[in-house]
């Protein structure tokens, strides 16, 4: 107790251990390793130039699990890299005159150093940097494969355009009800542009199937809603105009077909011009022009009045042959469904508003069974207990049956049939910016868009470009880049100047980690077969319908091209929460609540920062920063420091059958603790061993479940128990040594430096991170010892202390061995021994 222990000062040893781990390649994940593989991936960062506390929070959690899995015997791969293409680098070039490549490289260099200071077990040999030609060459190769498979195509489309960033956005990059840019928050506008798309819609149904993956419910829900599958019917309405094809509508409610009293087309619908009566032309043209000035969000705003224009022609109701007036209105969007809707005012609020405004007929065709036909307003409920009225031969049919019957009847007449629509649109991948992977396509006057031959990859980004944003790619003014040769005829051709969305880079980076230095192919199939799919992926939930969906699409597309043999990239997924400022607000420079991890590390050491972040709250929720908390965690590691060095090194009290060997950690396990010896242990040691084994069990479970905060609480309890044992004079017992070794092994994943340092100081073999994960004794872990009264001929003579679950023959042996029982037996052999398990032992003597 009075032993002098050196002051706890992590700065004296942390860097030294990191250097040694790195120099000795401790965290390499060898390919030719017989151990079971465990691929743990954590989302790679954008090289902003500064690792913030959020990175530490996210990556420490992944590192803890990776380290534990490694101690549990897996060959763990935990790679790291940089998602280094993208707008911020280009904006830095515009604002500060630094070339994006230089800005990116500087930032990466700085972040590598910062990453190393965290003490994470990243395998830096596998690093990928997506803006390097050695990487983007294969991103371009991937584009070509998708192009050849018909999954990449170019089309003119009304696309979302960020006026501030001067770039097109994918639909997934437009956020919120006001439809703002995901990056800068500026409301987006529509532009008609020729763009490259990936055909993600072809995989819509398969993307809805999550049965092969263990992902958090919110992410599955977001993807499901984004894909937005709805079942219904397509219905063709013939029109009273020569040479105009019937107009197709989609509805999820074909049971309301008899209630259709008008039709509304999007002003952009291709049939509008042909169907407009001469006397309506001026009004229709004005409406079309006005609509083009509006944003999609204005058009979908449910608050505003719905105005439209009758175009002077009629459709024919497919069931009743009734004439139905055709209108146009901006609330119908050309890009959704078929760009045409049947107006059913009795059963749709939007149609009801429109019908009352323009005095169009309202006809109720669905009503509650046994109820009244509504009088005014809409009738919307869509339950199992509704029937059809005013619907010809379908009167009295239940609404559910009518959906099937009407759809079937339409199909029979050749006027429609069952149909499914999706909200998801193809993935828009072209960007009119410089800092991205050039799309490997050239345009020939004669042969159109031609893929760049694979042996000409990479299409290199030229260094000398003018970065001033003009709304077109800076590459368009680079003559040398533009000049290309048609691969078909060899004549001069023009190079595509759009670059790829950076989400294309990240849709396959996990494959590149498997063989990052392969210069001849994007990945080595043997290594991909060995490592993929990713066993555990960690990262932010904000990528739900972006990166996480795109990666699933990419893997499925490559599988169908027979380049991969699995269906999903990430078997399980865990999303971290967010670290907030001390004011419980999101950390931001403008709020002045940003915590700098570098300052904290130099003050407290990396382990304290790691432990504090993991203690802040449940990892999947995060929590606010708390400066007092970090002091508390620092003191905790200081207590570990003190108790771990209180043993002196001698083993004054050898207890037979018990040693640190039982930990299974060091040296390897060699058998169980004989129960009988346990019975003789003194209370303090018994309590300590119980605490040790209980904590071994629980901490392993907590880490695996990402419950780092509760794991730390238990490690604190164990440290306190060890401290009490020390104060009770037990520091030189094997139970104490066992407890300290276990504490260090359990602490190693979360506080790797202090665990390594103390392990070494205790004379244990290097490295603690190469030891086996401690094994707990279930009996010791389960509960404390129980007292068993021992009777001789029904009279209490002694008490036995045994572990719960001790087998009856062992209990009998212990009872008969008791000195007091022996005294009463006086040399006689008992007639029988009766046991009430866990309650009582009664020894019956032979009598006289
Ligand atoms: Zn923007
Ligand atoms: Zn040509």
């Amino acid at each position: 107790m009075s032993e002098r222990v050196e002051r706890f000062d992590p700065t004296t040893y942390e860097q030294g251990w990191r250097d040694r781990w790195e120099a000795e390649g401790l965290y390499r994940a060898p390919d030719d390793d017989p151990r079971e593989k465990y691929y743990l991936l954590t989302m790679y960062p954008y090289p902003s130039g500064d690792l913030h506390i959020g990175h530490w929070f996210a990556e420490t959690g992944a590192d803890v699990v990776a380290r534990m899995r490694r101690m549990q015997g897996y060959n763990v791969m935990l790679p790291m890299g940089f998602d280094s293409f993208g707008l911020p680098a280009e904006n830095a070039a515009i604002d500060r005159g630094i070339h994006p490549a230089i800005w990116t490289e500087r930032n990466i260099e700085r972040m590598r150093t910062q990453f190393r200071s965290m003490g994470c077990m990243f395998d830096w040999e596998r690093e990928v940097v997506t803006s390097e030609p050695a990487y983007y060459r294969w991103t371009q190769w991937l584009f070509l494969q998708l192009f050849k498979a018909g999954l990449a195509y170019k089309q003119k489309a009304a696309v979302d355009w960020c006026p501030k960033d001067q770039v097109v956005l994918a639909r997934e990059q437009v956020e919120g009800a006001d439809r703002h840019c995901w990056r800068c928050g500026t409301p987006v506008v529509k532009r008609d542009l020729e763009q490259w798309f990936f055909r993600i819609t072809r995989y819509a149904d398969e993307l809805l199937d999550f049965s092969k993956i263990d992902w958090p419910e919110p992410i599955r829900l977001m993807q499901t809603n984004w894909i937005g599958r709805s079942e219904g019917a397509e219905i063709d309405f013939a029109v009273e105009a020569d040479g105009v094809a019937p107009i197709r509508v989609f509805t999820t409610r074909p049971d309301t077909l008899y209630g259709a009293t008008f039709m509304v087309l999007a002003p952009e619908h291709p049939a509008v011009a042909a169907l407009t009566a001469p006397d309506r032309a001026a009004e229709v043209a004005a409406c079309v022009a006005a609509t083009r000035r509006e944003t999609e969000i204005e058009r979908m705003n449910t608050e505003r009045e719905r105005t439209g224009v009758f175009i002077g022609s009629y459709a024919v109701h497919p069931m009743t042959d009734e004439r139905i007036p055709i209108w146009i209105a901006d609330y119908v969007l050309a890009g959704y469904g078929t760009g045409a809707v049947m107006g059913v005012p009795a059963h749709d609020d939007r149609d009801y508003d429109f019908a009352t405004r323009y005095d169009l007929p309202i006809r109720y065709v669905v009503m509650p069974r046994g109820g009244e036909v509504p009088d005014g307003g809409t009738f919307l409920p869509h339950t199992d207990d509704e029937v059809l009225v005013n619907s010809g031969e379908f009167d009295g049919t239940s609404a559910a049956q009518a959906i099937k019957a009407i759809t079937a009847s339409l199909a029979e007449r050749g006027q429609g049939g069952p149909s499914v629509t999706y909200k998801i649109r193809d993935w828009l991948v072209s960007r009119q910016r410089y800092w991205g992977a050039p799309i490997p396509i050239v345009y020939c006057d004669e042969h159109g868009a031609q893929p760049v031959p694979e042996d000409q990859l990479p299409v290199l980004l030229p260094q000398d470009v003018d970065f001033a944003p003009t709304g077109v790619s800076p590459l368009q003014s680079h003559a040398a880049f533009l000049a290309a040769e048609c691969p078909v005829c060899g004549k001069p051709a023009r190079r595509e100047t759009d670059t790829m969305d950076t989400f294309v880079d990240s849709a396959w980076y996990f494959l590149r980690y498997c063989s990052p230095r392969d210069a001849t192919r994007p990945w080595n199939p043997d290594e991909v077969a060995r490592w993929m799919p990713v066993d555990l992926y960690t990262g932010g939930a904000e990528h739900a319908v972006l990166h996480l969906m795109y990666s699933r699409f990419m893997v499925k597309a490559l599988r169908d091209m027979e380049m991969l043999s699995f269906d999903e990239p990430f078997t399980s997924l865990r999303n971290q929460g967010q670290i907030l400022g001390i004011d419980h607000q999101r950390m931001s420079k403008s709020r002045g609540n940003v915590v700098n991890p570098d300052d904290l590390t130099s003050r407290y050491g990396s382990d304290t920062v790691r432990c504090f972040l993991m203690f802040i709250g449940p990892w999947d929720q995060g929590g606010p920063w708390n400066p007092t908390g970090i002091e508390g965690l620092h003191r905790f590691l200081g207590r570990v420091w003190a108790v771990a060095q209180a043993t002196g090194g001698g083993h004054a009290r050898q207890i037979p059958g018990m040693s640190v060997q039982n930990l299974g950690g060091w040296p390897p396990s060699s058998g169980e603790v004989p129960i009988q010896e346990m019975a003789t242990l003194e209370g303090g040691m018994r309590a300590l061993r119980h605490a040790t084994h209980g904590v071994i069990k629980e901490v392993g479970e907590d880490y695996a479940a990402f419950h780092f905060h509760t794991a730390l609480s238990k490690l604190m309890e164990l440290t306190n128990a060890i401290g009490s044992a020390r104060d009770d004079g037990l520091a030189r017992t094997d139970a104490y040594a066992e407890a300290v070794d276990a504490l260090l092994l359990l602490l190693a994943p979360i506080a790797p430096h202090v665990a390594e340092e103390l392990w070494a100081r205790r004379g244990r073999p290097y490295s603690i991170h190469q030891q086996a994960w401690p094994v707990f004794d279930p009996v010791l872990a389960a509960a404390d010892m129980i007292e068993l009264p021992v009777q001789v001929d029904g009279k209490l003579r002694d008490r036995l202390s045994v572990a719960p679950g001790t087998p009856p023959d062992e209990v009998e042996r212990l009872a008969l061995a008791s000195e007091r029982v022996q005294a009463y037996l006086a040399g006689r052999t008992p007639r029988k021994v009766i046991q009430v398990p866990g309650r009582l032992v009664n020894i019956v003597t032979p009598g006289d």
Side-chain angles (χ1 to χ4, degrees):
M1 286 153 285
S2 58
E3 283 171 276
R4 260 184 54 81
V5 171
E6 204 181 307
R7 201 174 71 86
F8 171 53
D9 180 5
T11 59
T12 61
Y13 58 81
E14 284 199 348
Q15 188 59 51
W17 284 120
R18 285 197 293 268
D19 291 345
R20 181 166 176 192
W21 296 334
E22 176 134 13
E24 297 182 2
L26 193 65
Y27 301 127
R28 302 254 167 86
D31 291 323
D32 54 348
D33 193 296
R35 290 173 298 173
E36 193 178 336
K37 70 96 183 180
Y38 193 85
Y39 186 175
L40 203 161
L41 184 66
T42 180
M43 288 179 189
Y44 65 171
Y46 180 78
S48 57
D50 220 357
L51 219 54
H52 55 75
I53 205 76
H55 289 119
W56 272 70
F57 179 66
E59 266 119 51
T60 302
D63 187 55
V64 172
V65 176
R67 286 175 177 277
M68 177 180 73
R69 291 291 180 227
R70 196 163 185 278
M71 292 172 81
Q72 288 172 338
Y74 295 92
N75 183 24
V76 176
M77 168 169 34
L78 179 67
M80 184 42 75
F82 295 93
D83 189 12
S84 51
F85 269 140
L87 269 183
E90 203 166 334
N91 289 340
I94 295 160
D95 297 345
R96 280 171 270 171
I98 311 169
H99 195 279
I102 294 165
W103 185 86
T104 302
E105 186 43 49
R106 267 186 213 162
N107 287 351
I108 288 177
E109 200 41 62
R110 174 165 159 67
M111 288 172 81
R112 281 188 190 122
T113 310
Q114 288 180 305
F115 263 128
R116 282 183 163 88
S117 74
M118 294 169 60
C120 286
M121 54 173 280
F122 298 125
D123 181 355
W124 287 102
E125 298 281 303
R126 293 180 184 270
E127 184 195 66
V128 300
V129 177
T130 58
S131 58
E132 286 177 354
Y135 184 89
Y136 73 71
R137 168 185 181 172
W138 301 114
T139 307
Q140 293 173 337
W141 177 90
L142 218 60
F143 182 97
L144 293 180
Q145 309 316 307
L146 293 167
F147 180 76
K148 288 170 191 167
L151 292 171
Y153 66 93
K154 194 172 196 185
Q155 197 173 62
K156 187 155 198 163
V159 297
D160 296 307
W161 173 265
C162 173
K164 178 157 185 290
D165 291 327
Q166 298 264 311
V167 72
V168 158
L169 301 172
R171 297 180 81 94
E172 290 80 10
Q173 291 166 334
V174 178
E175 298 179 337
D178 65 339
R179 294 180 43 79
H180 60 263
C181 167
W182 71 300
R183 187 182 289 107
C184 70
T186 308
V188 303
V189 296
K190 285 282 181 193
R191 273 204 177 183
D192 285 328
L193 291 170
E194 285 252 342
Q195 299 290 320
W196 285 95
F197 294 87
F198 286 168
R199 219 179 281 281
I200 192 171
T201 51
R202 186 174 289 180
Y203 290 89
D205 273 321
E206 197 189 341
L207 288 168
L208 286 169
D209 176 9
F210 299 95
S211 62
K212 290 171 186 154
I213 48 181
D214 163 29
W215 280 26
E217 173 75 23
I219 301 284
R220 287 184 279 140
L221 204 64
M222 278 188 269
Q223 291 198 354
T224 303
N225 291 339
W226 185 262
I227 294 164
R229 184 182 197 274
S230 49
E231 284 184 29
E234 273 176 350
I235 305 173
D236 290 336
F237 285 75
V239 290
E240 293 180 348
D242 289 339
V244 180
I247 291 172
R248 174 163 291 188
V249 303
F250 172 82
T251 175
T252 56
R253 294 289 307 274
D255 54 322
T256 64
L257 176 57
Y258 283 80
T261 55
F262 60 98
M263 170 171 280
V264 189
L265 307 183
E268 304 93 329
H269 194 285
V272 170
L275 291 174
T276 301
D279 63 322
R280 311 294 305 161
E283 223 180 314
V284 168
C287 175
V288 171
T291 304
R292 285 200 68 82
R293 286 194 297 271
E294 294 175 327
T295 64
E296 209 166 284
I297 187 62
E298 284 167 342
R299 294 174 64 175
M300 292 197 302
N301 183 354
T302 53
E303 300 298 309
R304 60 195 284 233
E305 288 186 75
R306 297 197 172 84
T307 57
V309 173
F310 173 52
I311 65 173
S313 29
Y314 293 84
V316 182
H317 194 286
M319 295 299 189
T320 62
D321 292 339
E322 228 174 324
R323 296 179 85 207
I324 296 200
I326 303 176
W327 291 64
I328 55 171
D330 60 357
Y331 74 82
V332 178
L333 301 178
Y336 283 85
T338 60
V341 300
M342 61 178 199
V344 184
H347 304 288
D348 181 281
D349 285 336
R350 213 172 46 166
D351 296 345
Y352 183 83
D353 288 351
F354 197 80
T356 45
R357 183 181 180 90
Y358 294 108
D359 210 14
L360 294 161
I362 296 169
R363 186 181 305 141
Y364 297 91
V365 292
V366 178
M367 59 177 271
R369 193 183 290 277
E372 301 268 307
V373 174
D375 184 19
T378 51
F379 176 68
L380 298 177
H382 193 41
T383 69
D384 290 340
D385 212 23
E386 287 160 23
V387 291
L388 266 61
V389 293
N390 298 324
S391 296
E393 57 178 297
F394 302 99
D395 278 359
T397 313
S398 80
Q401 276 174 342
I403 286 178
K404 291 190 190 109
I406 290 177
T407 306
S409 168
L410 286 164
E412 249 171 57
R413 300 152 183 249
Q415 284 189 287
S419 176
V420 176
T421 60
Y422 299 86
K423 218 173 111 244
I424 190 173
R425 292 290 173 268
D426 279 337
W427 174 13
L428 199 171
V429 296
S430 43
R431 296 290 179 275
Q432 296 69 48
R433 296 303 291 254
Y434 166 75
W435 194 234
I439 291 176
I441 293 287
V442 296
Y443 299 97
C444 169
D445 286 342
E446 195 182 338
H447 299 101
Q450 289 294 329
V452 172
E454 286 180 19
D455 61 7
Q456 289 175 24
L457 298 182
V459 175
L460 283 171
L461 274 177
Q463 295 287 308
D464 52 332
V465 294
D466 177 10
F467 294 105
T470 58
V472 296
S473 167
L475 295 173
Q476 284 203 10
S477 50
H478 195 286
F481 180 82
L482 284 174
E485 193 177 88
C486 170
V488 181
C489 65
K491 287 186 194 148
R494 185 179 172 281
R495 198 176 290 287
E496 169 68 63
T497 54
D498 281 358
T499 54
M500 276 182 258
D501 183 2
T502 57
F503 282 101
V504 181
D505 307 335
S506 54
W508 76 282
Y509 80 119
F510 43 89
L511 298 170
R512 187 65 180 165
Y513 278 140
C514 297
S515 53
R517 305 286 160 258
D518 200 317
T520 60
R521 51 199 167 171
W523 58 82
N524 173 336
D526 293 339
E527 298 312 330
V528 162
R530 179 192 315 280
W531 289 107
M532 287 296 293
V534 169
D535 295 276
L536 175 62
Y537 195 20
T538 68
E542 68 273 19
H543 296 292
V545 296
L546 292 160
H547 165 61
L548 289 170
M549 198 175 64
Y550 296 151
S551 301
R552 295 182 69 210
F553 156 71
M554 194 64 87
V555 161
K556 292 171 194 301
L558 290 167
R559 176 204 58 199
D560 290 347
M561 294 177 218
E562 298 184 350
M563 291 187 212
L564 297 176
S565 56
F566 47 91
D567 302 315
E568 294 281 353
F570 317 125
T571 304
S572 58
L573 172 73
R574 296 291 176 268
N575 301 117
Q576 73 268 6
Q578 203 173 37
I579 296 298
L580 303 171
I582 190 169
D583 53 359
H584 294 227
Q585 300 291 315
R586 200 187 165 113
M587 282 192 193
S588 74
K589 284 194 182 121
S590 58
R591 285 202 185 90
N593 60 356
V594 174
V595 175
N596 181 339
D598 294 353
D599 296 346
L600 294 166
T601 323
S602 49
R603 182 157 164 211
Y604 295 104
S606 162
D607 285 340
T608 297
V609 180
R610 290 170 60 108
C611 287
F612 172 60
L613 287 171
M614 295 300 98
F615 197 61
I616 222 163
W619 186 79
D620 60 356
Q621 289 166 37
W625 183 256
N626 171 351
T628 350
I630 195 162
E631 290 287 347
L633 269 295
H634 197 63
R635 281 196 302 275
F636 158 61
L637 292 181
R639 283 199 301 278
V640 173
W641 181 260
V643 301
Q645 296 184 80
T647 48
H651 291 274
R653 302 184 45 151
Q654 279 290 340
I655 295 151
M658 197 207 122
S659 80
V660 290
Q661 291 185 4
N662 296 309
L663 278 175
W666 171 86
S669 173
S670 67
E672 307 230 321
V673 183
I675 299 287
Q676 70 272 25
E677 302 298 343
M678 287 302 304
T680 66
L681 284 177
E682 290 172 29
M685 283 187 285
R686 210 162 59 209
L688 184 56
R689 297 207 73 203
H690 167 59
T692 302
H693 286 263
V695 169
I696 293 173
K697 175 175 186 288
E698 289 168 3
V699 168
E701 290 166 357
D702 283 351
Y703 282 166
F706 283 75
H707 295 160
F708 308 114
H709 59 307
T710 56
L712 275 165
S713 298
K714 286 157 195 169
L715 292 173
M716 289 172 186
E717 283 167 25
L718 179 59
T719 305
N720 291 342
I722 297 172
S724 305
R726 176 197 58 193
D727 297 345
D728 292 344
L730 298 173
R732 286 169 182 271
T733 64
D734 280 348
Y736 193 88
E738 176 188 59
V740 172
D741 282 342
L743 175 64
L744 297 182
L745 289 162
L746 297 174
L747 200 61
I750 206 160
H753 311 80
V754 70
E756 185 81 290
E757 174 71 15
L758 289 168
W759 190 253
R761 283 172 181 248
R762 288 169 60 72
R764 307 293 190 231
Y766 174 85
S767 155
I768 192 168
H769 303 295
Q770 289 171 307
Q771 305 306 314
W773 190 245
V775 175
F776 65 91
D777 179 323
V779 175
L780 283 169
D784 233 328
M785 308 297 278
I786 49 171
E787 294 252 295
L788 276 186
V790 181
Q791 298 174 341
V792 178
D793 295 329
K795 292 201 181 70
L796 179 69
R797 299 302 183 193
D798 199 358
R799 289 177 189 278
L800 277 183
S801 184
V802 297
T806 305
D809 53 343
E810 182 61 23
V811 172
E812 181 173 328
R813 201 189 63 75
L814 291 169
L816 294 173
S818 148
E819 275 176 38
R820 301 179 66 184
V821 169
Q822 287 288 334
Y824 284 97
L825 281 175
R828 292 172 296 174
T829 305
R831 189 156 60 86
K832 60 179 171 183
V833 178
I834 300 160
Q835 289 193 41
V836 182
R839 305 284 295 276
L840 171 86
V841 183
N842 186 18
I843 297 164
V844 183
T845 61
D848 302 291

